[in-house]
Amino acid sequence: MQSQAMRHAIDLAVKNVASGNGGPFGAVIVRDGKILAEGVNLVTSTCDPTAHAEVVAIRRACQLVGAFELKDCEIYSSCEPCPMCLGALYWARIGHIYFAATREDAAKSGFDDSFIYDEIPLAIAERKIPTECFLQEEGLAAFRAWNESVAKVHY
């Protein structure tokens, strides 16, 4: 099933380029040896910079299972997940990540995520996008409400 799922993700990516709906990326989420959900990059067609193939597949899979965790699933992506997608996969608690092309391969076609990887470890003041913290004490009100809530769902 692994090779079949990966080939399906790659096929989705190739077909997505032909469709003009977005970039050359496809992803398939598998549970119990069966495809649960799939996604392609829809960034340009939906004007949504978060509509990467992995995120689209995660959203669809979570809706299908009615949960925000995919612990018993694995993802097959046509390319190594970018930092955003990797973060989403960790938040979804995906069981295993498989990918075909590497981030270096993607960079050769103009999809270079290295600047994001480089920005993450920098101090906030050193990042390229100006970022400031203010009204921190007021912002803590939401966390106080969370800590006091008896209806919270831990994730």
Side-chain angles (χ1 to χ4, degrees):
M1 177 58 180
Q2 288 183 321
S3 294
Q4 183 182 2
M6 185 61 79
R7 285 187 180 106
H8 186 65
I10 294 166
D11 186 52
L12 287 170
V14 172
K15 287 179 178 174
N16 199 50
V17 172
S19 75
N21 286 326
F25 305 97
V28 175
I29 294 180
V30 173
R31 182 170 72 173
D32 298 326
K34 295 180 182 157
I35 294 175
L36 176 65
E38 58 186 45
V40 293
N41 180 287
L42 299 172
V43 170
T44 56
S45 62
T46 62
C47 298
D48 179 355
T50 69
H52 289 201
E54 297 90 341
V55 172
V56 171
I58 290 167
R59 289 173 179 161
R60 290 176 178 166
C62 287
Q63 287 179 349
L64 284 170
V65 300
F68 54 82
E69 292 183 333
L70 300 170
K71 290 180 182 179
D72 57 345
C73 298
E74 48 199 28
I75 190 164
Y76 295 83
S77 180
S78 64
C79 187
E80 183 176 355
C82 75
M84 176 187 69
C85 293
L86 186 60
L89 290 164
Y90 272 89
W91 280 116
R93 315 287 197 285
I94 200 85
H96 203 113
I97 300 168
Y98 299 96
F99 63 88
T102 66
R103 60 177 139 166
E104 292 81 13
D105 297 325
K108 291 174 187 172
S109 289
F111 297 94
D112 191 357
D113 300 328
S114 63
F115 74 97
I116 299 173
Y117 283 104
D118 292 344
E119 288 282 298
I120 291 170
L122 294 177
I124 291 172
E126 297 174 15
R127 293 182 182 162
K128 294 202 181 356
I129 297 176
T131 305
E132 299 176 42
C133 177
F134 74 101
L135 295 180
Q136 181 180 7
E137 188 56 41
E138 290 180 37
L140 293 174
F143 291 108
R144 285 191 289 276
W146 172 262
N147 291 335
E148 295 169 7
S149 174
V150 295
K152 64 186 164 202
V153 176
H154 291 278
Y155 61 97

